Short mmCIF file of all heavy atoms in Angstrom, two decimals:
data_model
loop_
_atom_site.label_atom_id
_atom_site.label_comp_id
_atom_site.label_asym_id
_atom_site.label_seq_id
_atom_site.Cartn_x
_atom_site.Cartn_y
_atom_site.Cartn_z
N ILE K 747 8.52 14.60 -15.88
CA ILE K 747 8.12 14.02 -17.11
C ILE K 747 9.08 13.00 -17.63
O ILE K 747 10.29 13.35 -17.85
CB ILE K 747 7.75 15.00 -18.21
CG1 ILE K 747 6.79 16.02 -17.78
CG2 ILE K 747 7.24 14.21 -19.57
CD1 ILE K 747 6.37 17.13 -18.86
N GLY K 748 8.70 11.66 -17.81
CA GLY K 748 9.60 10.64 -18.03
C GLY K 748 9.61 10.11 -19.47
O GLY K 748 8.60 10.19 -20.11
N TRP K 750 10.59 6.33 -21.80
CA TRP K 750 10.17 4.98 -21.51
C TRP K 750 11.25 3.92 -21.25
O TRP K 750 10.98 2.85 -21.01
CB TRP K 750 9.30 4.48 -22.81
CG TRP K 750 9.88 4.93 -24.22
CD1 TRP K 750 9.39 5.90 -24.90
CD2 TRP K 750 11.01 4.41 -24.72
NE1 TRP K 750 10.11 6.06 -26.08
CE2 TRP K 750 11.07 5.07 -26.03
CE3 TRP K 750 11.88 3.26 -24.56
CZ2 TRP K 750 12.11 4.86 -26.96
CZ3 TRP K 750 12.84 3.16 -25.40
CH2 TRP K 750 13.01 3.90 -26.59
N ASN K 751 12.50 4.46 -21.31
CA ASN K 751 13.58 3.39 -21.27
C ASN K 751 13.86 3.03 -19.76
O ASN K 751 14.24 1.85 -19.61
CB ASN K 751 14.89 3.94 -21.92
CG ASN K 751 15.27 5.33 -21.39
OD1 ASN K 751 14.54 6.04 -20.73
ND2 ASN K 751 16.52 5.66 -21.87
N LYS K 774 4.57 12.45 -14.66
CA LYS K 774 3.89 11.87 -15.85
C LYS K 774 4.86 10.87 -16.53
O LYS K 774 5.89 11.28 -17.12
CB LYS K 774 3.48 13.05 -16.79
CG LYS K 774 2.56 12.31 -17.89
CD LYS K 774 2.38 13.27 -19.06
CE LYS K 774 3.52 13.12 -20.04
NZ LYS K 774 3.82 11.87 -20.67
N SER K 776 6.03 8.10 -19.37
CA SER K 776 5.88 8.05 -20.76
C SER K 776 4.44 7.18 -21.11
O SER K 776 4.18 6.26 -20.48
CB SER K 776 6.91 7.25 -21.55
OG SER K 776 6.58 6.81 -22.81
N PRO K 777 3.78 7.57 -22.08
CA PRO K 777 2.42 6.83 -22.39
C PRO K 777 2.72 5.27 -22.74
O PRO K 777 1.87 4.62 -22.66
CB PRO K 777 1.82 7.62 -23.46
CG PRO K 777 2.87 8.51 -24.08
CD PRO K 777 3.89 8.80 -23.04
N PRO K 807 1.62 13.97 -24.86
CA PRO K 807 2.05 15.35 -25.03
C PRO K 807 1.02 16.33 -24.44
O PRO K 807 1.40 17.29 -23.79
CB PRO K 807 2.12 15.59 -26.48
CG PRO K 807 2.43 14.23 -27.04
CD PRO K 807 1.87 13.22 -26.22
N GLY K 810 1.12 16.35 -20.67
CA GLY K 810 2.35 16.99 -20.35
C GLY K 810 2.37 18.48 -20.50
O GLY K 810 2.89 19.24 -19.63
N LEU K 824 12.34 17.18 -17.37
CA LEU K 824 11.96 16.34 -18.49
C LEU K 824 13.10 15.35 -18.73
O LEU K 824 14.34 15.75 -18.85
CB LEU K 824 11.75 17.14 -19.65
CG LEU K 824 11.59 16.28 -21.04
CD1 LEU K 824 10.19 15.53 -21.10
CD2 LEU K 824 11.78 17.18 -22.15
N THR K 825 12.84 14.12 -18.89
CA THR K 825 13.72 13.21 -19.73
C THR K 825 13.08 12.79 -20.95
O THR K 825 12.01 12.29 -20.95
CB THR K 825 14.01 11.94 -18.90
OG1 THR K 825 14.70 12.38 -17.60
CG2 THR K 825 14.89 10.90 -19.59
N GLY K 826 13.65 13.19 -22.07
CA GLY K 826 13.03 12.87 -23.43
C GLY K 826 13.84 13.44 -24.47
O GLY K 826 15.03 13.67 -24.35
N GLY K 827 13.25 13.59 -25.72
CA GLY K 827 14.02 13.87 -26.90
C GLY K 827 14.23 15.51 -26.95
O GLY K 827 13.44 16.19 -26.28
N THR K 830 11.04 17.62 -27.86
CA THR K 830 10.21 17.82 -26.67
C THR K 830 10.80 18.78 -25.70
O THR K 830 10.19 19.63 -25.07
CB THR K 830 9.97 16.47 -25.94
OG1 THR K 830 9.53 15.51 -26.86
CG2 THR K 830 8.92 16.55 -24.85
N MET K 837 7.19 26.36 -22.96
CA MET K 837 6.00 26.51 -22.14
C MET K 837 6.49 26.98 -20.75
O MET K 837 5.67 27.78 -20.11
CB MET K 837 5.34 25.09 -22.06
CG MET K 837 4.67 24.53 -23.22
SD MET K 837 3.81 23.15 -23.01
CE MET K 837 5.08 21.88 -23.20
N GLU K 848 16.90 16.45 -19.53
CA GLU K 848 17.79 15.31 -19.88
C GLU K 848 17.43 14.90 -21.19
O GLU K 848 16.39 14.10 -21.36
CB GLU K 848 17.71 14.32 -18.71
CG GLU K 848 18.03 14.63 -17.40
CD GLU K 848 19.64 14.81 -17.20
OE1 GLU K 848 20.26 14.55 -18.21
OE2 GLU K 848 20.00 15.35 -16.19
N LEU K 849 18.16 15.28 -22.19
CA LEU K 849 17.57 14.99 -23.60
C LEU K 849 18.53 13.95 -24.26
O LEU K 849 19.15 13.17 -23.61
CB LEU K 849 17.55 16.32 -24.39
CG LEU K 849 16.87 17.41 -23.72
CD1 LEU K 849 16.86 18.74 -24.51
CD2 LEU K 849 15.34 16.94 -23.46
N GLY K 850 18.46 13.92 -25.58
CA GLY K 850 19.13 12.78 -26.33
C GLY K 850 20.67 12.99 -26.44
O GLY K 850 21.16 14.01 -25.90
N CYS K 882 20.04 7.01 -23.35
CA CYS K 882 20.40 8.32 -24.02
C CYS K 882 21.87 8.64 -24.01
O CYS K 882 22.37 9.24 -24.96
CB CYS K 882 19.77 9.49 -23.09
SG CYS K 882 20.22 9.23 -21.42
N GLU K 985 20.49 10.14 -33.49
CA GLU K 985 20.30 9.12 -32.37
C GLU K 985 19.40 8.05 -32.90
O GLU K 985 18.25 8.35 -33.37
CB GLU K 985 19.57 9.99 -31.18
CG GLU K 985 19.52 9.06 -29.99
CD GLU K 985 18.87 9.87 -28.82
OE1 GLU K 985 17.89 10.65 -29.10
OE2 GLU K 985 19.38 9.67 -27.60
N PHE K 987 18.80 5.14 -31.05
CA PHE K 987 18.16 4.62 -29.90
C PHE K 987 17.80 3.11 -29.95
O PHE K 987 16.67 2.62 -29.69
CB PHE K 987 16.86 5.36 -29.47
CG PHE K 987 16.81 5.81 -28.02
CD1 PHE K 987 17.83 6.64 -27.42
CD2 PHE K 987 15.67 5.48 -27.25
CE1 PHE K 987 17.74 7.00 -26.11
CE2 PHE K 987 15.60 5.88 -25.86
CZ PHE K 987 16.74 6.56 -25.35
N1 LIG A 1049 19.34 12.52 -21.09
C1 LIG A 1049 18.63 11.55 -20.59
O1 LIG A 1049 18.71 11.24 -19.47
C2 LIG A 1049 17.69 10.75 -21.41
C3 LIG A 1049 17.11 11.07 -22.50
N2 LIG A 1049 16.15 10.34 -23.31
C4 LIG A 1049 15.82 10.73 -24.63
O2 LIG A 1049 14.37 10.53 -24.74
C5 LIG A 1049 14.08 10.10 -26.11
C6 LIG A 1049 13.28 8.84 -26.14
O3 LIG A 1049 12.15 8.89 -25.13
P1 LIG A 1049 10.70 9.29 -25.75
O4 LIG A 1049 9.72 8.97 -24.66
O5 LIG A 1049 10.42 8.84 -27.09
O6 LIG A 1049 10.82 10.91 -25.83
P2 LIG A 1049 9.68 12.03 -25.98
O7 LIG A 1049 10.51 13.25 -26.02
O8 LIG A 1049 8.89 11.76 -27.17
O9 LIG A 1049 8.93 11.88 -24.65
C7 LIG A 1049 9.41 12.12 -23.43
C8 LIG A 1049 8.26 12.45 -22.43
O10 LIG A 1049 7.77 13.74 -22.86
C9 LIG A 1049 6.44 13.86 -22.99
N3 LIG A 1049 6.08 14.73 -23.90
C10 LIG A 1049 6.04 14.70 -25.26
N4 LIG A 1049 5.66 15.84 -25.78
C11 LIG A 1049 5.43 16.76 -24.80
C12 LIG A 1049 4.89 18.03 -24.74
N5 LIG A 1049 4.67 18.74 -25.81
N6 LIG A 1049 4.77 18.61 -23.48
C13 LIG A 1049 5.07 17.90 -22.41
N7 LIG A 1049 5.51 16.62 -22.45
C14 LIG A 1049 5.63 15.97 -23.54
C15 LIG A 1049 6.14 12.26 -23.37
O11 LIG A 1049 4.70 12.07 -23.26
C16 LIG A 1049 7.00 11.60 -22.52
O12 LIG A 1049 6.57 11.32 -21.27
C17 LIG A 1049 15.39 9.98 -26.83
O13 LIG A 1049 15.68 10.99 -27.57
C18 LIG A 1049 16.41 9.82 -25.70
O14 LIG A 1049 17.58 10.34 -26.03
C19 LIG A 1049 15.86 9.13 -22.83
C20 LIG A 1049 16.28 8.69 -21.61
C21 LIG A 1049 17.20 9.41 -20.86
#
Side-chain angles (χ1 to χ4, degrees):
I747 300 179
W750 40 257
N751 53 349
K774 188 194 82 58
S776 161
L824 166 79
T825 297
T830 310
M837 290 186 276
E848 296 291 352
L849 309 179
C882 55
E985 185 178 42
F987 230 58

